[in-house]
Amino acid sequence: MGLAGVSIVAGGAGVVITAAQQLLFALAGIGAFAAVLTWYLTPEQFIPVEIGEAIYEPLAANLTEISGELGLSGTRIYVETEEGSRLYIPEGSTTDLPESLTNVFVVGDSPQTTGIALQPSGSQLVDEFVQTHTGTLPETPAALSAHLVEGLVEGFELATAIETDITAEQHQLIFEITDAQFGPVSRFDHPIQSFLAVGLARGLDTPVIVEQVRTDADTATIAIEWAEFADTENQAT
């Protein structure tokens, strides 16, 4: 409305003030164009991040309690399957993957092949990022992580800044996150850690493990590694 008002005022002034008519008509045209562009590009509805966090928090709490009551381990394995992205949490502390992760409750012959397989909270965010990303995703860990970080900070605005450190020989990436949205990153399948893990698993075509999550006052540190799967072809289908 403000831009449209500027356009009308400039156009009216251009009719009266002939000496500056060319400049005023140009301003009127720019104002009208900007008003129309803003109208069509502005989302129909803004949802404050507090509302999103209020929705996510009880879901994370419920999943944490379910995981605890089932006696599952703290291992978080993100893997790409034929059915899509999955978050596998085994009962035993292991990196072995069952043959199938289609069902939510995975029942195997041992604690290492028993657990739950969930759809990660970051899977659809990665889908959206891939659709809006120009070109194909990089295949190297450093370049891929840089693109994912840019998507989180510049695209989805889920953090103010993210610093990345890569340890190539250990097949590990460490992310230091500043001002994360949706509460502490240590929460169950937090959207930021989930987005990074799903993006890396998909881009590197290998399962990854969220090895470590540490949360401080304004920063959080996530370590994601794929060393256990780097030299094997043990992947779920």
mmCIF file of all heavy atoms in Angstrom, residues 18 23 28 60 65 88 90 97 102 110 151 171 186-187 194 232-233:
data_model
loop_
_atom_site.group_PDB
_atom_site.id
_atom_site.type_symbol
_atom_site.label_atom_id
_atom_site.label_comp_id
_atom_site.label_asym_id
_atom_site.label_seq_id
_atom_site.Cartn_x
_atom_site.Cartn_y
_atom_site.Cartn_z
ATOM 1 N N THR A 18 5.330 20.066 -14.476
ATOM 2 C CA THR A 18 5.816 19.618 -15.788
ATOM 3 C C THR A 18 7.333 19.630 -15.890
ATOM 4 O O THR A 18 7.904 18.873 -16.666
ATOM 5 C CB THR A 18 5.229 20.529 -16.880
ATOM 6 O OG1 THR A 18 5.582 21.888 -16.593
ATOM 7 C CG2 THR A 18 3.714 20.399 -16.931
ATOM 8 N N LEU A 23 11.041 12.651 -14.355
ATOM 9 C CA LEU A 23 11.507 12.001 -13.126
ATOM 10 C C LEU A 23 10.347 11.478 -12.300
ATOM 11 O O LEU A 23 10.380 10.345 -11.796
ATOM 12 C CB LEU A 23 12.346 12.986 -12.307
ATOM 13 C CG LEU A 23 12.828 12.484 -10.933
ATOM 14 C CD1 LEU A 23 13.708 11.250 -11.089
ATOM 15 C CD2 LEU A 23 13.567 13.586 -10.186
ATOM 16 N N ALA A 28 6.801 7.053 -10.379
ATOM 17 C CA ALA A 28 5.461 6.463 -10.325
ATOM 18 C C ALA A 28 5.476 5.051 -10.898
ATOM 19 O O ALA A 28 4.858 4.129 -10.356
ATOM 20 C CB ALA A 28 4.476 7.345 -11.092
ATOM 21 N N ALA A 60 8.499 -33.744 20.119
ATOM 22 C CA ALA A 60 9.834 -34.199 20.500
ATOM 23 C C ALA A 60 9.816 -34.853 21.876
ATOM 24 O O ALA A 60 10.473 -35.877 22.104
ATOM 25 C CB ALA A 60 10.805 -33.014 20.486
ATOM 26 N N GLU A 65 10.125 -39.850 25.155
ATOM 27 C CA GLU A 65 9.567 -40.764 26.149
ATOM 28 C C GLU A 65 9.343 -42.156 25.554
ATOM 29 O O GLU A 65 9.616 -43.167 26.208
ATOM 30 C CB GLU A 65 8.252 -40.197 26.694
ATOM 31 C CG GLU A 65 8.432 -38.936 27.528
ATOM 32 C CD GLU A 65 7.113 -38.404 28.058
ATOM 33 O OE1 GLU A 65 6.083 -39.098 27.864
ATOM 34 O OE2 GLU A 65 7.104 -37.312 28.655
ATOM 35 N N TYR A 88 16.801 -44.307 12.010
ATOM 36 C CA TYR A 88 16.779 -45.596 12.687
ATOM 37 C C TYR A 88 17.447 -45.481 14.044
ATOM 38 O O TYR A 88 18.579 -44.994 14.161
ATOM 39 C CB TYR A 88 17.494 -46.655 11.853
ATOM 40 C CG TYR A 88 17.590 -47.999 12.530
ATOM 41 C CD1 TYR A 88 16.445 -48.680 12.937
ATOM 42 C CD2 TYR A 88 18.830 -48.598 12.770
ATOM 43 C CE1 TYR A 88 16.530 -49.909 13.568
ATOM 44 C CE2 TYR A 88 18.923 -49.830 13.385
ATOM 45 C CZ TYR A 88 17.772 -50.486 13.790
ATOM 46 O OH TYR A 88 17.855 -51.702 14.424
ATOM 47 N N PRO A 90 18.360 -48.029 17.047
ATOM 48 C CA PRO A 90 18.380 -49.438 17.463
ATOM 49 C C PRO A 90 18.244 -49.584 18.975
ATOM 50 O O PRO A 90 18.484 -48.642 19.735
ATOM 51 C CB PRO A 90 19.751 -49.909 16.980
ATOM 52 C CG PRO A 90 20.603 -48.673 17.043
ATOM 53 C CD PRO A 90 19.693 -47.527 16.700
ATOM 54 N N LEU A 97 22.596 -52.107 10.129
ATOM 55 C CA LEU A 97 21.264 -51.735 9.674
ATOM 56 C C LEU A 97 20.454 -52.974 9.320
ATOM 57 O O LEU A 97 20.976 -53.899 8.684
ATOM 58 C CB LEU A 97 21.353 -50.825 8.447
ATOM 59 C CG LEU A 97 21.973 -49.451 8.686
ATOM 60 C CD1 LEU A 97 22.123 -48.711 7.362
ATOM 61 C CD2 LEU A 97 21.135 -48.635 9.651
ATOM 62 N N THR A 102 11.116 -50.272 6.525
ATOM 63 C CA THR A 102 9.804 -49.806 6.073
ATOM 64 C C THR A 102 8.863 -49.565 7.241
ATOM 65 O O THR A 102 8.146 -48.549 7.285
ATOM 66 C CB THR A 102 9.185 -50.825 5.106
ATOM 67 O OG1 THR A 102 10.081 -51.038 4.013
ATOM 68 C CG2 THR A 102 7.851 -50.320 4.577
ATOM 69 N N SER A 110 18.007 -59.797 17.213
ATOM 70 C CA SER A 110 18.880 -59.353 18.289
ATOM 71 C C SER A 110 18.613 -57.881 18.570
ATOM 72 O O SER A 110 17.971 -57.188 17.758
ATOM 73 C CB SER A 110 20.345 -59.549 17.893
ATOM 74 O OG SER A 110 20.675 -58.693 16.801
ATOM 75 N N GLY A 151 21.480 -23.168 3.037
ATOM 76 C CA GLY A 151 20.040 -23.372 3.024
ATOM 77 C C GLY A 151 19.404 -23.132 4.383
ATOM 78 O O GLY A 151 18.328 -22.540 4.483
ATOM 79 N N HIS A 171 36.041 -39.038 8.600
ATOM 80 C CA HIS A 171 34.738 -38.971 7.955
ATOM 81 C C HIS A 171 33.726 -38.302 8.883
ATOM 82 O O HIS A 171 32.650 -38.846 9.153
ATOM 83 C CB HIS A 171 34.250 -40.368 7.563
ATOM 84 C CG HIS A 171 35.151 -41.071 6.601
ATOM 85 N ND1 HIS A 171 36.225 -41.832 6.987
ATOM 86 C CD2 HIS A 171 35.151 -41.117 5.246
ATOM 87 C CE1 HIS A 171 36.831 -42.330 5.928
ATOM 88 N NE2 HIS A 171 36.213 -41.901 4.848
ATOM 89 N N SER A 186 19.624 -30.264 20.952
ATOM 90 C CA SER A 186 19.739 -31.606 21.518
ATOM 91 C C SER A 186 18.390 -32.325 21.598
ATOM 92 O O SER A 186 18.347 -33.509 21.927
ATOM 93 C CB SER A 186 20.343 -31.524 22.927
ATOM 94 O OG SER A 186 19.578 -30.661 23.752
ATOM 95 N N ARG A 187 17.306 -31.637 21.281
ATOM 96 C CA ARG A 187 16.004 -32.294 21.307
ATOM 97 C C ARG A 187 15.923 -33.413 20.270
ATOM 98 O O ARG A 187 16.677 -33.443 19.312
ATOM 99 C CB ARG A 187 14.889 -31.273 21.034
ATOM 100 C CG ARG A 187 14.587 -30.349 22.203
ATOM 101 C CD ARG A 187 13.547 -29.327 21.803
ATOM 102 N NE ARG A 187 13.135 -28.514 22.945
ATOM 103 C CZ ARG A 187 12.342 -27.448 22.839
ATOM 104 N NH1 ARG A 187 11.895 -27.074 21.654
ATOM 105 N NH2 ARG A 187 12.018 -26.756 23.912
ATOM 106 N N SER A 194 18.423 -32.740 11.950
ATOM 107 C CA SER A 194 17.776 -33.657 11.026
ATOM 108 C C SER A 194 18.018 -33.237 9.584
ATOM 109 O O SER A 194 18.315 -34.072 8.713
ATOM 110 C CB SER A 194 16.270 -33.720 11.316
ATOM 111 O OG SER A 194 15.649 -34.723 10.546
ATOM 112 N N THR A 232 31.937 -49.657 3.426
ATOM 113 C CA THR A 232 31.057 -50.820 3.345
ATOM 114 C C THR A 232 29.890 -50.499 2.434
ATOM 115 O O THR A 232 29.623 -49.349 2.092
ATOM 116 C CB THR A 232 30.520 -51.207 4.735
ATOM 117 O OG1 THR A 232 29.637 -50.166 5.196
ATOM 118 C CG2 THR A 232 31.630 -51.395 5.722
ATOM 119 N N GLU A 233 29.171 -51.531 2.065
ATOM 120 C CA GLU A 233 27.965 -51.367 1.260
ATOM 121 C C GLU A 233 26.754 -51.840 2.042
ATOM 122 O O GLU A 233 25.729 -52.215 1.487
ATOM 123 C CB GLU A 233 28.091 -52.160 -0.044
ATOM 124 C CG GLU A 233 29.203 -51.660 -0.945
ATOM 125 C CD GLU A 233 29.293 -52.428 -2.242
ATOM 126 O OE1 GLU A 233 28.502 -53.387 -2.388
ATOM 127 O OE2 GLU A 233 30.126 -52.079 -3.074
#
